[in-house]
Amino acid sequence: MVRNPERRAALVDAGVEVLAAEGARGLTFRAVDTAAGVPTGTSSNYFANRDDLLHQIDAWLHQRLAPDPEVVAELLARPRDRALVTAFMHSLMGRVQRDRTGFLALMELRLEASRRPDLRASLMNSLRGDLDEAIAFHTGSELPGGPEEITLLYLGMLGLILEHLTMPGMLDGAIPGASVPDGVVARLVERILPGD
């Protein structure tokens, strides 16, 4: 059978939707077929098994959730200071809010990876690659701070994203005078990065 790359992409996107809405236990070929609006059995023609689908979702999410190169270029036209780092973090939060489903699916992948060694190895490789790339971008762009600060900022933003997506409103008022998420983003950068 000739496989259609557009249909495969649509099935992976449907898998992201199912993963975000139903969690890993709800990610079945039947659920993906339903979400994609294709006949039952279609997914099984495109993916060897559920693990194959999870790996395809992992690969696609890292592309889907990546920053827009045009936005990055616009931001890099600014002075290399703490305000620029804050702008990059606001841009990240904007992506989170625009693609809530994609970020929730990535969190579900993390949870599933804690139970599946093969997926853990693949996802850890992807995530560590993203962190290493962020550190290289940050230092190569001559932004303030170094690998330690960027790792701490990564951890802080990951926690904020998790709380903001899964428990909206929980952080309201937790940091006096800091709105959620924007004010918290600014405080994270202010506390982690050295002054200008």
Tab-separated table of all heavy atoms in Angstrom, residues 153-187:
chain	number	residue	atom	x	y	z
A	153	LEU	N	16.591	28.986	34.232
A	153	LEU	CA	15.460	29.634	33.577
A	153	LEU	C	14.567	28.597	32.899
A	153	LEU	O	13.334	28.684	32.964
A	153	LEU	CB	15.978	30.659	32.566
A	153	LEU	CG	14.986	31.655	32.014
A	153	LEU	CD1	14.248	32.402	33.113
A	153	LEU	CD2	15.698	32.642	31.100
A	154	TYR	N	15.178	27.608	32.275
A	154	TYR	CA	14.431	26.495	31.660
A	154	TYR	C	13.562	25.803	32.713
A	154	TYR	O	12.373	25.561	32.490
A	154	TYR	CB	15.436	25.509	31.034
A	154	TYR	CG	14.881	24.155	30.691
A	154	TYR	CD1	14.209	23.941	29.495
A	154	TYR	CD2	15.041	23.074	31.560
A	154	TYR	CE1	13.693	22.695	29.180
A	154	TYR	CE2	14.540	21.826	31.246
A	154	TYR	CZ	13.868	21.634	30.052
A	154	TYR	OH	13.365	20.391	29.757
A	155	LEU	N	14.154	25.520	33.857
A	155	LEU	CA	13.405	24.840	34.919
A	155	LEU	C	12.268	25.708	35.455
A	155	LEU	O	11.161	25.228	35.695
A	155	LEU	CB	14.344	24.420	36.049
A	155	LEU	CG	15.360	23.344	35.682
A	155	LEU	CD1	16.395	23.187	36.791
A	155	LEU	CD2	14.668	22.024	35.384
A	156	GLY	N	12.556	26.997	35.638
A	156	GLY	CA	11.518	27.902	36.108
A	156	GLY	C	10.373	28.032	35.120
A	156	GLY	O	9.195	28.000	35.493
A	157	MET	N	10.704	28.168	33.848
A	157	MET	CA	9.662	28.295	32.822
A	157	MET	C	8.872	26.996	32.673
A	157	MET	O	7.656	27.029	32.483
A	157	MET	CB	10.291	28.695	31.478
A	157	MET	CG	10.819	30.114	31.444
A	157	MET	SD	9.542	31.383	31.684
A	157	MET	CE	8.554	31.148	30.199
A	158	LEU	N	9.555	25.864	32.786
A	158	LEU	CA	8.858	24.580	32.701
A	158	LEU	C	7.824	24.460	33.819
A	158	LEU	O	6.682	24.046	33.587
A	158	LEU	CB	9.862	23.426	32.770
A	158	LEU	CG	9.304	22.019	32.621
A	158	LEU	CD1	8.607	21.831	31.290
A	158	LEU	CD2	10.428	20.998	32.776
A	159	GLY	N	8.208	24.855	35.031
A	159	GLY	CA	7.266	24.826	36.148
A	159	GLY	C	6.103	25.775	35.928
A	159	GLY	O	4.941	25.436	36.190
A	160	LEU	N	6.381	26.977	35.444
A	160	LEU	CA	5.322	27.946	35.169
A	160	LEU	C	4.376	27.422	34.098
A	160	LEU	O	3.147	27.522	34.234
A	160	LEU	CB	5.939	29.288	34.739
A	160	LEU	CG	4.956	30.379	34.318
A	160	LEU	CD1	3.975	30.711	35.438
A	160	LEU	CD2	5.723	31.612	33.864
A	161	ILE	N	4.926	26.852	33.038
A	161	ILE	CA	4.094	26.303	31.966
A	161	ILE	C	3.201	25.185	32.508
A	161	ILE	O	1.998	25.141	32.233
A	161	ILE	CB	4.971	25.807	30.795
A	161	ILE	CG1	5.606	27.003	30.083
A	161	ILE	CG2	4.174	24.945	29.823
A	161	ILE	CD1	6.721	26.643	29.124
A	162	LEU	N	3.787	24.286	33.286
A	162	LEU	CA	3.017	23.190	33.864
A	162	LEU	C	1.855	23.717	34.699
A	162	LEU	O	0.702	23.306	34.519
A	162	LEU	CB	3.920	22.298	34.719
A	162	LEU	CG	3.225	21.179	35.490
A	162	LEU	CD1	2.664	20.137	34.539
A	162	LEU	CD2	4.183	20.544	36.475
A	163	GLU	N	2.125	24.643	35.607
A	163	GLU	CA	1.064	25.192	36.469
A	163	GLU	C	0.035	25.959	35.655
A	163	GLU	O	-1.169	25.828	35.887
A	163	GLU	CB	1.656	26.105	37.544
A	163	GLU	CG	2.537	25.407	38.544
A	163	GLU	CD	1.824	24.335	39.358
A	163	GLU	OE1	0.585	24.358	39.474
A	163	GLU	OE2	2.529	23.452	39.869
A	164	HIS	N	0.499	26.757	34.713
A	164	HIS	CA	-0.408	27.593	33.938
A	164	HIS	C	-1.354	26.750	33.072
A	164	HIS	O	-2.533	27.091	32.924
A	164	HIS	CB	0.397	28.569	33.079
A	164	HIS	CG	-0.439	29.582	32.387
A	164	HIS	ND1	-1.186	30.528	33.054
A	164	HIS	CD2	-0.658	29.811	31.068
A	164	HIS	CE1	-1.827	31.287	32.194
A	164	HIS	NE2	-1.514	30.879	30.980
A	165	LEU	N	-0.840	25.666	32.495
A	165	LEU	CA	-1.674	24.832	31.629
A	165	LEU	C	-2.565	23.871	32.392
A	165	LEU	O	-3.672	23.577	31.959
A	165	LEU	CB	-0.801	24.045	30.647
A	165	LEU	CG	-0.102	24.837	29.562
A	165	LEU	CD1	0.675	23.904	28.650
A	165	LEU	CD2	-1.092	25.665	28.745
A	166	THR	N	-2.078	23.348	33.506
A	166	THR	CA	-2.839	22.307	34.195
A	166	THR	C	-3.661	22.814	35.376
A	166	THR	O	-4.662	22.215	35.729
A	166	THR	CB	-1.914	21.176	34.684
A	166	THR	OG1	-0.977	21.718	35.630
A	166	THR	CG2	-1.165	20.531	33.521
A	167	MET	N	-3.243	23.908	35.990
A	167	MET	CA	-3.949	24.458	37.146
A	167	MET	C	-4.108	25.974	36.996
A	167	MET	O	-3.593	26.754	37.795
A	167	MET	CB	-3.188	24.162	38.448
A	167	MET	CG	-3.074	22.710	38.778
A	167	MET	SD	-4.680	22.076	39.263
A	167	MET	CE	-4.473	20.365	38.831
A	168	PRO	N	-4.812	26.417	35.943
A	168	PRO	CA	-4.934	27.859	35.742
A	168	PRO	C	-5.535	28.525	36.979
A	168	PRO	O	-6.475	28.005	37.572
A	168	PRO	CB	-5.865	27.991	34.536
A	168	PRO	CG	-6.275	26.627	34.143
A	168	PRO	CD	-5.570	25.629	34.996
A	169	GLY	N	-4.950	29.645	37.340
A	169	GLY	CA	-5.426	30.384	38.502
A	169	GLY	C	-4.750	30.007	39.803
A	169	GLY	O	-4.816	30.749	40.774
A	170	MET	N	-4.087	28.857	39.855
A	170	MET	CA	-3.469	28.396	41.093
A	170	MET	C	-2.385	29.357	41.566
A	170	MET	O	-2.208	29.574	42.755
A	170	MET	CB	-2.902	26.983	40.901
A	170	MET	CG	-2.547	26.248	42.191
A	170	MET	SD	-1.024	26.741	43.001
A	170	MET	CE	0.201	26.070	41.921
A	171	LEU	N	-1.648	29.972	40.655
A	171	LEU	CA	-0.555	30.866	41.032
A	171	LEU	C	-1.008	32.315	41.254
A	171	LEU	O	-0.209	33.138	41.674
A	171	LEU	CB	0.543	30.845	39.970
A	171	LEU	CG	1.351	29.558	39.863
A	171	LEU	CD1	2.323	29.635	38.692
A	171	LEU	CD2	2.096	29.282	41.152
A	172	ASP	N	-2.282	32.607	40.967
A	172	ASP	CA	-2.763	33.982	41.135
A	172	ASP	C	-2.523	34.452	42.563
A	172	ASP	O	-2.912	33.785	43.529
A	172	ASP	CB	-4.256	34.088	40.788
A	172	ASP	CG	-4.524	33.881	39.305
A	172	ASP	OD1	-3.563	33.877	38.520
A	172	ASP	OD2	-5.708	33.729	38.949
A	173	GLY	N	-1.834	35.560	42.694
A	173	GLY	CA	-1.565	36.130	44.007
A	173	GLY	C	-0.423	35.495	44.768
A	173	GLY	O	-0.078	35.947	45.858
A	174	ALA	N	0.183	34.447	44.231
A	174	ALA	CA	1.270	33.760	44.941
A	174	ALA	C	2.509	34.648	45.057
A	174	ALA	O	3.225	34.590	46.052
A	174	ALA	CB	1.632	32.447	44.244
A	175	ILE	N	2.748	35.470	44.053
A	175	ILE	CA	3.862	36.423	44.083
A	175	ILE	C	3.224	37.808	44.049
A	175	ILE	O	2.702	38.224	43.002
A	175	ILE	CB	4.817	36.220	42.894
A	175	ILE	CG1	5.402	34.808	42.910
A	175	ILE	CG2	5.932	37.262	42.925
A	175	ILE	CD1	6.233	34.459	41.689
A	176	PRO	N	3.226	38.507	45.173
A	176	PRO	CA	2.558	39.811	45.224
A	176	PRO	C	3.033	40.751	44.112
A	176	PRO	O	4.221	40.901	43.866
A	176	PRO	CB	2.953	40.358	46.607
A	176	PRO	CG	3.248	39.138	47.414
A	176	PRO	CD	3.842	38.149	46.452
A	177	GLY	N	2.064	41.309	43.404
A	177	GLY	CA	2.357	42.264	42.343
A	177	GLY	C	2.756	41.648	41.022
A	177	GLY	O	3.036	42.374	40.071
A	178	ALA	N	2.788	40.328	40.918
A	178	ALA	CA	3.190	39.669	39.667
A	178	ALA	C	1.986	38.964	39.045
A	178	ALA	O	1.442	38.032	39.631
A	178	ALA	CB	4.313	38.662	39.919
A	179	SER	N	1.587	39.426	37.855
A	179	SER	CA	0.497	38.766	37.146
A	179	SER	C	0.974	37.409	36.638
A	179	SER	O	2.168	37.168	36.525
A	179	SER	CB	0.043	39.633	35.970
A	179	SER	OG	1.123	39.792	35.053
A	180	VAL	N	0.009	36.543	36.341
A	180	VAL	CA	0.334	35.215	35.814
A	180	VAL	C	-0.204	35.136	34.393
A	180	VAL	O	-1.380	35.410	34.171
A	180	VAL	CB	-0.307	34.118	36.692
A	180	VAL	CG1	0.003	32.735	36.134
A	180	VAL	CG2	0.157	34.237	38.140
A	181	PRO	N	0.623	34.812	33.427
A	181	PRO	CA	2.006	34.386	33.522
A	181	PRO	C	3.037	35.517	33.338
A	181	PRO	O	4.191	35.361	33.696
A	181	PRO	CB	2.139	33.370	32.387
A	181	PRO	CG	1.242	33.902	31.314
A	181	PRO	CD	0.071	34.526	32.068
A	182	ASP	N	2.612	36.642	32.749
A	182	ASP	CA	3.586	37.662	32.330
A	182	ASP	C	4.456	38.206	33.462
A	182	ASP	O	5.674	38.309	33.324
A	182	ASP	CB	2.866	38.809	31.611
A	182	ASP	CG	2.255	38.367	30.294
A	182	ASP	OD1	2.723	37.364	29.732
A	182	ASP	OD2	1.312	39.030	29.829
A	183	GLY	N	3.844	38.562	34.573
A	183	GLY	CA	4.616	39.093	35.690
A	183	GLY	C	5.568	38.064	36.268
A	183	GLY	O	6.682	38.393	36.686
A	184	VAL	N	5.132	36.814	36.287
A	184	VAL	CA	5.990	35.740	36.810
A	184	VAL	C	7.180	35.525	35.875
A	184	VAL	O	8.307	35.318	36.333
A	184	VAL	CB	5.193	34.433	37.025
A	184	VAL	CG1	6.107	33.311	37.483
A	184	VAL	CG2	4.072	34.652	38.036
A	185	VAL	N	6.945	35.603	34.564
A	185	VAL	CA	8.043	35.483	33.600
A	185	VAL	C	9.091	36.558	33.886
A	185	VAL	O	10.294	36.273	33.986
A	185	VAL	CB	7.530	35.607	32.143
A	185	VAL	CG1	8.679	35.811	31.167
A	185	VAL	CG2	6.716	34.386	31.752
A	186	ALA	N	8.632	37.794	34.048
A	186	ALA	CA	9.565	38.892	34.307
A	186	ALA	C	10.341	38.665	35.603
A	186	ALA	O	11.554	38.899	35.658
A	186	ALA	CB	8.800	40.215	34.362
A	187	ARG	N	9.669	38.195	36.648
A	187	ARG	CA	10.351	37.939	37.924
A	187	ARG	C	11.375	36.826	37.791
A	187	ARG	O	12.459	36.893	38.369
A	187	ARG	CB	9.340	37.587	39.012
A	187	ARG	CG	8.436	38.706	39.422
A	187	ARG	CD	9.123	39.675	40.379
A	187	ARG	NE	8.232	40.747	40.735
A	187	ARG	CZ	7.421	40.739	41.788
A	187	ARG	NH1	7.411	39.709	42.607
A	187	ARG	NH2	6.623	41.755	42.014
